[in-house]
Amino acid sequence: MPAPSSPPAKRLRVAFLLADRFTLSAFANFVDVLRLAADEADHSRPILCDWVVLSDTLEAVRSSCGVRVQPDTRLRQAARYDYIVVVGGLIGDSAALNGAAQGFLRRQAEAGVPLVGLCTGVFILQRMGLLKGYRCCVSWFHHQDFLDQFEAETPISDQIFVVDRDRLTCSGGHGAAHLAAFLVQRHVGQSAAIKSLNIMMIDDAMGGEKAQPGLTLARRAKDELVRRALLRMQQNLEVPKTVEDLARELGVGRRTLERRFLADLRQTPLKAYLDLRLERALQRLRTTDASVTNIALACGFCDGPHLSRAMKAERGVTPAEYRKAQGRFEPGDDLPAVGVLMRSAE
């Protein structure tokens, strides 16, 4: 009688440390890729991958949205893991991880265990000195926050994640899923990584060099005040701030801000803001099927006709014309006949 087969060895073991008020989406995207890669279909058994949430007290940890996650393993019972993933919390929470968790992190780093910083987890690793000498990735949304806290550092804010030896850092959001897929491909296999993303309705795995979805202007700002103003504009596209509000928040007068923009970008703050909103609208017209009205509202325009007038004046095309030029069509448009489509594909 044949001996019962032993379960396959775990190919990827990951432990999470969750900061108080951690970012739930980054954690959920990362762990869901592991879950789906660990078993057949979406049965969720930890066969090929294993994941735990560590804590010294096992008290539930609250996320930034209020949902709480229950840790399952005490720090003193922690096993050997392939990666320790730190999921950060709200900016400014200097005590996001307690002393026991920080001590554990330092010991793991000394033992050569790779550390992962998700979202603002990068801030925690940087503050602890665990990213000294490493390149690190920060969301464009928190780029200035990072510079404000770590003046001597230069983060990478135009990639979704960065792998530098035994430090892996990620901008958060859907980038966490792509970083997890990168690790799954490395340890389990490409098919498992693709399967996970497909079930999560993510079309393709992205490498770390893939650009973050933040917007850029044709000219790159050099003036630090102008760069900070542009970042605030990017963070407030749906409900644009007035130039007066931006200047007040940055601690300067409106005339000073306008003068610095003209000297650095050769355009006014108002024009730069409009360009950013139009670029976001063009991006959504290219990559989504959202209506022109919804895109207009999401990009700070009053309605669809307002967006159409601005786009025609600044870019020379209407949203409908732009979509047709990209091979996309508005709902209700007359589609080309099948024969025409087939001939154009030949």
Side-chain angles (χ1 to χ4, degrees):
M1 184 173 181
S5 58
S6 57
K10 300 287 194 301
R11 300 184 191 177
L12 178 58
R13 296 176 181 268
V14 176
F16 292 91
L17 285 173
L18 306 180
D20 183 37
R21 296 194 288 180
F22 69 95
T23 306
L24 184 61
S25 62
F27 169 68
N29 277 321
F30 196 103
V31 77
D32 235 19
V33 171
L34 301 181
R35 174 183 73 86
L36 294 167
D39 195 5
E40 296 179 352
D42 60 347
H43 297 161
S44 304
R45 295 172 298 177
I47 297 175
L48 298 178
C49 305
D50 196 18
W51 54 94
V52 297
V53 177
L54 300 176
S55 170
D56 61 325
T57 66
L58 294 189
E59 292 181 4
V61 186
R62 60 176 174 166
S63 67
S64 58
C65 67
V67 173
R68 294 175 180 267
V69 170
Q70 181 67 52
D72 48 29
T73 303
R74 293 184 182 273
L75 290 175
R76 63 173 178 268
Q77 296 171 329
R80 174 77 180 185
Y81 305 104
D82 297 304
Y83 301 90
I84 307 294
V85 179
V86 180
V87 188
L90 297 180
I91 296 293
D93 286 2
S94 57
L97 288 181
N98 64 23
Q102 292 189 35
F104 173 80
L105 261 182
R106 294 187 190 280
R107 291 191 297 275
Q108 294 295 304
E110 292 171 359
V113 179
L115 305 182
V116 179
L118 286 192
C119 195
T120 54
V122 180
F123 285 67
I124 295 174
L125 296 179
Q126 184 69 58
R127 192 175 298 115
M128 293 178 62
L130 296 176
L131 289 178
K132 187 175 181 58
Y134 290 89
R135 295 181 302 120
C136 68
C137 177
V138 174
S139 166
W140 66 265
F141 192 85
H142 292 305
H143 179 88
Q144 187 60 47
D145 296 311
F146 192 90
L147 294 179
D148 290 342
Q149 294 190 32
F150 312 107
E151 295 180 359
E153 304 298 330
T154 304
I156 296 171
S157 298
D158 57 359
Q159 295 182 206
I160 58 172
F161 65 84
V162 169
V163 178
D164 188 354
R165 294 161 288 167
D166 56 353
R167 297 291 187 273
L168 302 88
T169 49
C170 175
S171 56
H174 79 280
H178 290 289
L179 177 54
F182 170 83
L183 297 181
V184 166
Q185 180 173 337
R186 173 187 281 181
H187 293 270
V188 182
Q190 183 178 25
S191 60
I194 293 173
K195 184 200 80 168
S196 294
L197 294 178
N198 285 346
I199 294 176
M200 293 173 68
M201 298 186 184
I202 300 175
D203 289 336
D204 299 303
M206 295 182 182
E209 71 284 353
K210 179 69 175 180
Q212 292 182 27
L215 302 174
T216 58
L217 292 170
R219 299 186 183 91
R220 185 177 294 274
K222 297 178 181 178
D223 186 313
E224 187 59 33
L225 175 65
V226 174
R227 293 164 74 172
R228 291 172 60 199
L230 289 172
L231 181 60
R232 288 178 183 266
M233 291 176 184
Q234 289 180 315
Q235 294 170 345
N236 295 277
L237 293 180
E238 186 172 355
V239 183
K241 292 179 175 290
T242 66
V243 176
E244 289 85 355
D245 286 341
L246 287 170
R248 184 175 62 254
E249 291 174 5
L250 294 167
V252 299
R254 172 174 177 153
R255 290 182 181 276
T256 297
L257 187 61
E258 290 177 335
R259 186 173 65 252
R260 299 274 283 271
F261 262 79
L262 289 169
D264 194 21
L265 297 180
R266 300 179 186 176
Q267 59 181 179
T268 65
L270 203 59
K271 179 61 166 62
Y273 214 160
L274 177 60
D275 284 349
L276 286 172
R277 290 157 54 212
L278 286 173
E279 285 303 314
R280 172 60 63 83
L282 290 169
Q283 180 188 62
R284 293 198 174 193
L285 288 167
R286 285 194 305 271
T287 61
T288 77
D289 293 323
S291 69
V292 171
T293 297
N294 287 340
I295 291 174
L297 295 175
C299 298
F301 297 93
C302 298
D303 49 30
H306 183 200
L307 172 60
S308 294
R309 290 193 300 272
M311 190 173 292
K312 185 70 173 180
E314 297 292 329
R315 299 292 188 268
V317 293
T318 66
E321 291 168 345
Y322 182 77
R323 265 188 166 159
K324 286 183 178 180
Q326 300 293 317
R328 305 178 71 87
F329 296 89
E330 288 294 304
D333 281 349
D334 292 330
L335 296 178
V338 174
V340 173
L341 288 174
M342 290 180 66
R343 285 196 299 274
S344 64
E346 292 177 352

